[in-house]
Amino acid sequence: MGDVAVGARSGHDGEEHRGRPVEAAPRATDSAVSSGNEGQAAEDGTVTDEQSQTGDQGPSGPAPKQPKKQRSFWKELPILIGIALVLALLIKTFLVQAFSIPSDSMQNTLQEGDRVLVDKLTPWFGSEPERGEVVVFHDPDNWLAGEPTPDPNALQTFLSWIGLMPSAEEKDLIKRVIGVGGDTVECNGTGPLKVNGKALNEPYVYPGNTPCSQDDQGGQFKVKVPEGFIWVMGDHRQNSRDSRYNQGDANKGMVPVDKVVGRAIVKAWPINRWGTLPVPDTFDQPGLNDQSATTAALTNAPNALALAGVVPVALWRRRRPGE
């Protein structure tokens, strides 16, 4: 009935106002027609975007977002363990590694069973060992021959793999650096130990020991340390098989610098022995570097003389073709 009324009115209006623009249909009519189209679309099974959005909303507005469900602790635990292992391996390889003291050769500075942390980073930047430092180094030439090899259990093997314990397969030693490349180190009688003619005051030597050992097996010596090597000795002088007693090896008792793992910087365990391992003041005394500086100058002198002789010859040869 409503559709007939609209049609009759529209035809009548067209005859009465012929030539005039037809007025727009009332908004109510448009609304009715739109509603009819939407209903038809719904009947056809076609849903518009507007209807879809409207359907997602509840009567009181947009539906609240559901919070993301957190992972359980047990699901995150393997990830955390994996990250911790990667970090431990990186630290072990490039930064710091723990080592266990296997003997009394460094008493009283270090006791058997102490754990020390070794700085492995500075050697990566070209830093070389200095006098007075306590360093860990790989066995240079069978210094540990005949020593018992530990048999670690599975837990110890795992801890050594991630750097929390030293590896049983790596034969490492720990001693104090006494001489570096260019130094002259000597022991006469019971001491004192001398470096480049300067007597060292060594308060770190084990109480009751003499700085030098009177024996015919290496305790009395005078050696010149080559460049790229170090001379090492234990603080327990009468109980340390160090450079003195390995002068018959391929390196004449010296330790190649490239065998040095790093410098021991901290006693980390047990807690009651925690402390740093600084360089003693005796290695800072004036004049200690004079001999090594003179040696370096003499080493470089032949190169400088050769260069001075080559330059005039080269210039003379360059001028000859143009003359």
Side-chain angles (χ1 to χ4, degrees):
M1 183 68 177
D3 291 343
V4 174
V6 172
R9 184 177 178 180
S10 299
H12 176 72
D13 289 345
E15 291 178 357
E16 183 177 358
H17 302 286
R18 185 173 297 171
R20 297 181 184 179
V22 180
E23 295 180 359
R27 292 185 179 179
T29 307
D30 290 342
S31 177
V33 174
S34 299
S35 299
N37 291 338
E38 288 175 1
Q40 183 180 359
E43 291 175 359
D44 293 340
T46 304
V47 181
T48 62
D49 292 338
E50 183 179 356
Q51 289 174 324
S52 176
Q53 294 174 0
T54 304
D56 293 339
Q57 297 177 358
S60 60
K65 293 183 177 179
Q66 294 292 334
K68 292 184 177 179
K69 187 178 181 181
Q70 294 183 351
R71 290 182 178 179
S72 68
F73 171 76
W74 297 110
K75 288 184 178 180
E76 290 187 349
L77 183 60
I79 299 174
L80 296 175
I81 293 176
I83 294 174
L85 289 176
V86 171
L87 289 176
L89 288 173
L90 290 175
I91 291 173
K92 170 190 171 182
T93 305
F94 300 107
L95 300 179
V96 176
Q97 186 174 359
F99 285 85
S100 176
I101 306 304
S103 70
D104 294 330
S105 67
M106 282 296 292
Q107 283 183 315
N108 272 335
T109 304
L110 298 172
Q111 303 284 359
E112 183 178 357
D114 283 354
R115 299 289 194 275
V116 296
L117 298 182
V118 174
D119 169 24
K120 301 177 67 175
L121 179 62
T122 49
W124 282 83
F125 293 95
S127 175
E128 294 190 356
E130 298 182 1
R131 302 184 200 95
E133 293 180 347
V134 176
V135 297
V136 172
F137 55 94
H138 299 312
D139 189 342
D141 188 24
N142 259 356
W143 286 21
L144 295 175
E147 293 290 334
T149 302
D151 186 17
N153 56 36
L155 178 61
Q156 291 172 331
T157 301
F158 174 75
L159 292 176
S160 67
W161 182 68
I162 64 176
L164 296 180
M165 285 188 65
S167 174
E169 298 177 358
E170 295 178 359
K171 294 184 176 182
D172 299 318
L173 300 97
I174 184 166
K175 306 290 180 186
R176 189 179 299 275
V177 179
I178 301 298
V180 296
D183 285 345
T184 298
V185 185
E186 59 182 312
C187 258
N188 291 313
T190 58
L193 176 66
K194 293 182 180 180
V195 176
N196 299 329
K198 298 290 182 179
L200 298 182
N201 176 26
E202 301 182 281
Y204 46 80
V205 170
Y206 184 74
N209 279 192
T210 55
C212 297
S213 301
Q214 290 183 297
D215 57 53
D216 57 357
Q217 300 175 1
Q220 303 290 292
F221 62 90
K222 184 175 182 178
V223 296
K224 180 76 171 290
V225 184
E227 295 295 330
F229 290 83
I230 56 176
W231 179 270
V232 297
M233 297 173 68
D235 290 354
H236 195 163
R237 291 290 157 82
Q238 274 75 60
N239 188 25
S240 176
R241 189 163 186 83
D242 45 40
S243 290
R244 298 171 294 172
Y245 300 106
N246 288 283
Q247 295 184 60
D249 71 3
N251 302 309
K252 299 181 179 179
M254 314 292 175
V255 178
V257 170
D258 59 10
K259 291 284 188 179
V260 176
V261 177
R263 175 187 172 186
I265 52 176
V266 172
K267 291 180 289 185
W269 187 264
I271 296 297
N272 62 347
R273 287 187 47 77
W274 188 95
T276 58
L277 295 168
V279 174
D281 293 338
T282 187
F283 291 95
D284 295 329
Q285 61 178 296
L288 194 61
N289 292 315
D290 292 348
Q291 183 70 23
S292 56
T294 303
T295 302
L298 292 174
T299 302
N300 293 329
N303 296 332
L305 290 174
L307 181 62
V310 168
V311 170
V313 173
L315 293 175
W316 176 71
R317 289 180 61 87
R318 287 175 62 87
R319 290 182 60 187
R320 285 189 61 189
E323 291 178 350

